Amino acid sequence: MPPWFTDVSSLQRKESKFYSSRWMQLATIGLDKSPRVRTVVFRGWTENFEMEIYTDNRSQKSHELYLNNNVEICWLFARSRCQFRFRGNANIEMNKEIQRHWEQLSEENKAMWSWPSPGENYSVKTTKDLKFTKNKEIPSNFSLIKIEITQVDHLLLHKPIHLRKRWILKNEWIMERINP
Ligand SMILES: Cc1cc2nc3c(=O)[nH]c(=O)nc-3n(C[C@H](O)[C@H](O)[C@H](O)COP(=O)(O)O)c2cc1C
């Protein structure tokens, strides 16, 4: 288990009753090399401590990740005044493994993958045109992003002085206390 994991998972447990504690910001490198950021839902940890996120493979972030898979995640645990920033590499999975993930989604959530392509011009006349079809098959645009973490920056707003530490993966995890 990586040494930072206990800190994150204890905050996840502590704030688990707030749905927003699963919201994090995923930053990517845009196709024009400028930054892009958006909110995503944390879906879980793999057995190798990679972060799991679901997305639509037609989305802009997916195109960006195919070209450059360097990412940063900013995850704020607001009640605990604690911020984690994870750097790493994102890998997009669209193989059989996604079946288990797809099955966990509610019918309402699943329907989002049958909406028109994200980011394109809106051409739906009424919301009735957005059919909430109960898909039996996994849609080809459903994808799982797995983030392999290589650096973690942890900041805790604390009195009298804030606490900040960083873990970097260099064959093994190295931890250092740094100025806030
Ligand atoms: C609370 C919240 C949670 C979201 N969760 C996800 C998510 O898990 N996956 C996702 O692809 N988009 C999610 N979105 C939508 C993204 O923020 C973004 O608008 C969308 O994915 C298109 O981004 P892109 O054009 O950069 O690909 C969420 C938005 C909000 C407000």
Side-chain angles (χ1 to χ4, degrees):
M1 187 194 294
W4 44 265
F5 188 73
T6 324
D7 286 350
V8 189
S9 55
S10 68
L11 282 175
Q12 285 186 273
R13 264 195 310 279
K14 196 170 157 199
E15 300 207 5
S16 59
K17 58 178 182 290
F18 306 107
Y19 191 79
S20 57
S21 69
R22 295 173 62 208
W23 296 343
M24 10 181 243
Q25 274 63 51
L26 165 69
T28 51
I29 319 275
L31 302 184
D32 61 0
K33 309 237 180 350
S34 64
R36 297 288 184 279
V37 68
R38 78 286 285 158
T39 307
V40 291
V41 178
F42 168 85
R43 299 289 184 174
W45 297 103
T46 67
E47 56 189 21
N48 298 323
F49 305 97
E50 296 154 311
M51 241 179 223
E52 294 172 323
I53 296 163
Y54 302 160
T55 199
D56 188 317
N57 203 41
R58 300 168 300 174
S59 66
Q60 190 61 26
K61 76 180 87 44
S62 304
H63 302 312
E64 290 159 5
L65 291 175
Y66 282 117
L67 276 186
N68 187 334
N69 73 347
N70 286 301
V71 294
E72 185 159 282
I73 290 273
C74 185
W75 197 353
L76 174 69
F77 292 93
R79 276 90 191 165
S80 311
R81 295 164 164 242
C82 183
Q83 167 188 274
F84 284 90
R85 285 183 295 167
F86 298 90
R87 283 192 210 169
N89 301 105
N91 297 305
I92 299 183
E93 302 281 340
M94 297 190 71
N95 57 23
K96 273 195 166 170
E97 196 194 328
I98 62 174
Q99 175 93 32
R100 172 175 66 83
H101 293 276
W102 178 251
E103 281 162 8
Q104 282 171 13
L105 290 172
S106 65
E107 291 303 322
E108 195 186 353
N109 265 215
K110 284 179 179 168
M112 288 193 284
W113 277 269
S114 56
W115 289 357
S117 207
E120 284 188 3
N121 282 344
Y122 190 77
S123 63
V124 176
K125 299 279 182 295
T126 77
T127 47
K128 281 183 192 153
D129 294 348
L130 295 170
K131 280 184 246 137
F132 297 101
T133 44
K134 281 194 176 182
N135 293 311
K136 290 276 179 276
E137 304 263 304
I138 303 182
S140 57
N141 53 317
F142 177 69
S143 60
L144 166 69
I145 302 175
K146 279 192 195 170
I147 300 178
E148 236 180 284
I149 294 158
T150 54
Q151 186 168 322
V152 183
D153 183 313
H154 177 205
L155 173 68
L156 177 66
L157 302 193
H158 195 262
K159 284 181 185 160
I161 185 167
H162 302 164
L163 298 172
R164 186 168 172 206
K165 44 190 175 174
R166 177 167 64 198
W167 292 266
I168 302 180
L169 184 60
K170 288 180 180 162
N171 294 322
E172 58 180 43
W173 285 100
I174 312 285
M175 197 275 268
E176 53 197 357
R177 176 97 187 257
I178 53 176
N179 292 331

